[in-house]
Amino acid sequence: MKVNKKIAIEHLGRVEGHGGIHVEISQGKITRVNMDIYEGSRFYEEIILGKDFEEVAGIICRVCAICSADHLLASQMATEKAFGIQVSRQTYLLRGLLLHGSMIESHALHVYALALPDLLGFDGVISMASKYPKEVSIALSLKKLGNTIQEIVGGRAIHPINPIIGGFGVVPTPEQLLGLKEQIQQRLKEALATVDLYAQLLPLPAFADSPTTYTALEPRELRYSYLGDLIQTSTGEIFPVEDYRKVCHERVVSHSTAKQSLYANKPFMTGSLARLNLNHKHIKGIAQEVQQRLLPDLPNTNILHNNTAQLIELIHSLERAIILIDKLIKDGLKPEKPVQVTPKAGWGVGALEAPRGTLFHAYQYDDNGILVEKWLPGHTIPVFPVPHIWSKFTQLKTLWYISH
Amino acid sequence: MSKPKVGIFGLTSCAGDQLVILNCEDQLMELANAVDIRDWEMAKSQNDEECPLDIALVEGSVAQVRDIETVKKIRERSKILVALGTCAVWGGIPAMKNDVPREVMLEEVYGNDVRFIESKAAQPLSSFVKVDFNLPGCPIEKEEFLQMMASFLHGDIPEILNFSVCSECKMKENVCQIVYKNQVCCGPLTRAGCGARCPSHNVPCTGCHGPIEEVHYDSHIKMFQLKGIKPEEIVHKMQVYAAPAWMPEKLMEEMQHEGE
């Protein structure tokens, strides 16, 4: 068919990483849509081979700055499983708190600084501040809170250093956590004020409606959570995380240095909307009220609502972080040495819900604790089945879906 | 005086150093008012990709043909070019296994048919263009970044630290990871600026800020030897962030010298 129109967007703005889009139209129909990722290859899959188990997580978290805490923990969980290590309840709860910090930072950045300017007609968050100073100031303080949680628990907001195999280098003090709790309570009130602004933008344009398969981890306990041992799909299938390869079939495409993942030969979606579609029955508290106000009909297949889902999850993470701090304090937060590690040959999968999608790390170690085999999701930007580069222009997912 | 025109760019990287700029939540609006940010793909959708710039902040390593063209173009339009982060300054983690041919890496990661990827062994910016200031860190430290920008705005030359993490570690009164814990800690060889983050969390330094220029090789080698730490172990760790060849060479040289 003769191509009679081409649309080329060479650089996508407000995206972490480098990408462009090429669209071909023939006789009024879109015949081809390529999401091109230009990011240089860093070969993480290859460079971590031969590394000592203690080095792996610190190297691999550098795949992505935004979700470095998530990569770090997924990696450490995979290593711990390979060695048969059980961490303490305190470590488990502190890790949960760290993940909420990451979720708060990433969602605040994405919803307010990357997506909202589009919906409100600005070229970025800095120019948006001229008309919406209060909202931008709230957004920045929410983002800062997410970073503060990661600083206190993780030792650094980007590429955390305090979480180590088996526990933490230093356990935060009760005073630090109680100080955090106060900040979270304050930010939660402010975040609710931005829900009003967001509500004014509804309904979102319907062009992005694209029924597809959604996948997310099934929460370990009966509540809305980012940790789980089973992968569930909107087609009703359940797989243990060890079978991640039944869900993610990676392929290389010639227009992108990032690989694409398919499930049952089709693109599928992970991330906030996927999680909410599959797990919304577990959402409670203020987050549930916000969900009923902004996104009452679930499951929803308009992928622009990924932003709405992120806002709901942001509120949820703020609430959960408070609960986790209360639990940690009630249990008697104490300095605690990491679990002693004896390396041994073994294989392990670490899985969790990162802000922008499900994350799997799978490692094989030899007797000396040297990494000999690994599987990581796509190696440049798309560390998730659905490249999170898509989440800014979520409608791209629709276009890509049409083209394949 | 008109506001300095600023461009912020990322080559092959995790975007962490640009994210540190966005993480200056308390100063971001003030900074954005003090300078004129003309080109910042990660944060804005309307960018002037041609205008001359007073300051270019460039993150990431040069790891593909496209990156070489990009960094040369940035150099041509900029008065001051800053290498932002360890990847831009030293090559960073992507340069860790530069000795392995790219064809082998490509096949390992992508499979056979990958001729469309023009991958290069990852290099620091200075391999291709003149760099005016180096601000290493993986990621850069917020305070150091803001101090550097404040210096530029005042017409000063930024002071880039050149002493080791040990100095900051001592100021924090940490227990030494090497002397008391026999850990392979890169602190003595690594540029300060982080406030000794890792040792302050009871974790040995991994060298993520890259090396200082004047290492006390002989005394460090003696200390490592005394604690039973092989220089190979230190070199292995420093090479994770692609310390330049002179550093491990010098260490090994000194080691042999000591052994004689």
Side-chain angles (χ1 to χ4, degrees), chain A residues 384-402:
Chain A
F384 315 122
V386 175
H388 68 216
I389 194 166
W390 281 338
S391 52
K392 188 242 155 176
F393 283 102
T394 36
Q395 63 268 36
L396 293 179
K397 174 66 178 57
T398 322
L399 300 177
W400 193 69
Y401 186 73
I402 294 166

Side-chain angles (χ1 to χ4, degrees), chain A residues 38-338:
Chain A
Y38 310 134
E39 193 76 33
S41 303
R42 292 173 294 157
F43 305 110
Y44 272 98
E45 295 96 323
E46 160 58 38
I47 59 177
I48 56 163
L49 285 181
K51 294 289 170 192
D52 187 85
F53 72 94
E54 285 183 314
E55 291 183 282
V56 171
I59 292 173
I60 210 66
C61 75
R62 262 85 179 179
V63 163
C64 172
I66 298 263
C67 52
S68 49
D70 306 81
H71 272 282
L72 190 86
L73 290 188
S75 173
Q76 289 172 343
M77 282 157 58
T79 300
E80 287 163 0
K81 270 197 195 167
F83 296 159
I85 294 169
Q86 289 279 346
V87 297
S88 72
R89 179 178 156 82
Q90 179 171 291
T91 294
Y92 182 72
L93 294 177
L94 279 169
R95 286 179 176 181
L97 183 58
L98 179 64
L99 290 180
H100 285 295
S102 164
M103 203 63 80
I104 292 164
E105 199 281 333
S106 178
H107 284 354
L109 174 71
H110 188 266
V111 174
Y112 300 111
L114 303 181
L116 218 50
D118 273 343
L119 297 168
L120 294 168
F122 294 92
D123 90 318
V125 69
I126 291 166
S127 54
M128 195 176 114
S130 59
K131 195 170 167 206
Y132 296 97
K134 189 178 139 226
E135 284 79 4
V136 169
S137 150
I138 292 172
L140 288 174
S141 53
L142 278 164
K143 206 174 99 50
K144 187 181 170 190
L145 172 69
N147 282 331
T148 308
I149 296 175
Q150 295 184 86
E151 283 269 350
I152 289 176
V153 184
R156 184 158 62 188
I158 300 170
H159 308 324
I161 47 103
N162 193 29
I164 52 181
I165 305 283
F168 286 89
V170 170
V171 174
T173 62
E175 293 71 32
Q176 281 178 304
L177 292 194
L178 289 170
L180 252 187
K181 183 183 163 183
E182 244 172 71
Q183 290 181 46
I184 302 169
Q185 284 168 326
Q186 184 57 33
R187 297 288 95 81
L188 179 58
K189 276 185 214 153
E190 295 166 1
L192 292 174
T194 68
V195 172
D196 294 330
L197 172 66
Y198 196 89
Q200 290 167 26
L201 302 167
L202 300 176
L204 295 178
F207 71 88
D209 193 60
S210 76
T212 185
T213 304
Y214 293 85
T215 75
L217 295 181
E218 188 173 86
R220 200 168 280 164
E221 296 151 57
L222 286 178
R223 54 175 174 74
Y224 198 85
S225 141
Y226 306 127
L227 292 167
D229 305 304
L230 300 169
I231 310 161
Q232 51 178 336
T233 73
S234 56
T235 49
E237 294 191 84
I238 300 263
F239 304 94
V241 292
E242 283 73 20
D243 286 346
Y244 59 87
R245 280 192 164 183
K246 290 185 179 160
V247 182
C248 306
H249 296 274
E250 284 202 321
R251 66 171 184 183
V252 176
V253 287
S254 65
H255 52 83
S256 168
T257 54
K259 294 174 193 167
Q260 295 179 343
S261 262
L262 300 180
Y263 169 61
N265 292 319
K266 281 185 182 164
F268 62 106
M269 182 132 178
T270 72
S272 294
L273 185 58
R275 289 192 286 262
L276 213 55
N277 275 341
L278 291 162
N279 298 328
H280 62 90
K281 59 179 178 291
H282 296 309
I283 207 142
K284 295 277 178 321
I286 305 169
Q288 187 186 22
E289 288 166 27
V290 174
Q291 177 250 315
Q292 280 168 358
R293 179 175 173 200
L294 299 180
L295 199 55
D297 300 317
L298 287 169
N300 188 300
T301 52
N302 183 341
I303 51 183
L304 282 178
H305 273 305
N306 197 50
N307 296 313
T308 320
Q310 286 184 341
L311 185 54
I312 295 162
E313 285 193 338
L314 175 65
I315 305 288
H316 167 75
S317 276
L318 291 166
E319 288 183 287
R320 271 308 292 175
I322 295 172
I323 294 170
L324 285 179
I325 290 174
D326 286 343
K327 273 192 190 177
L328 281 158
I329 300 286
K330 190 167 155 266
D331 286 1
L333 187 69
K334 56 186 183 302
E336 180 183 74
K337 287 217 162 95

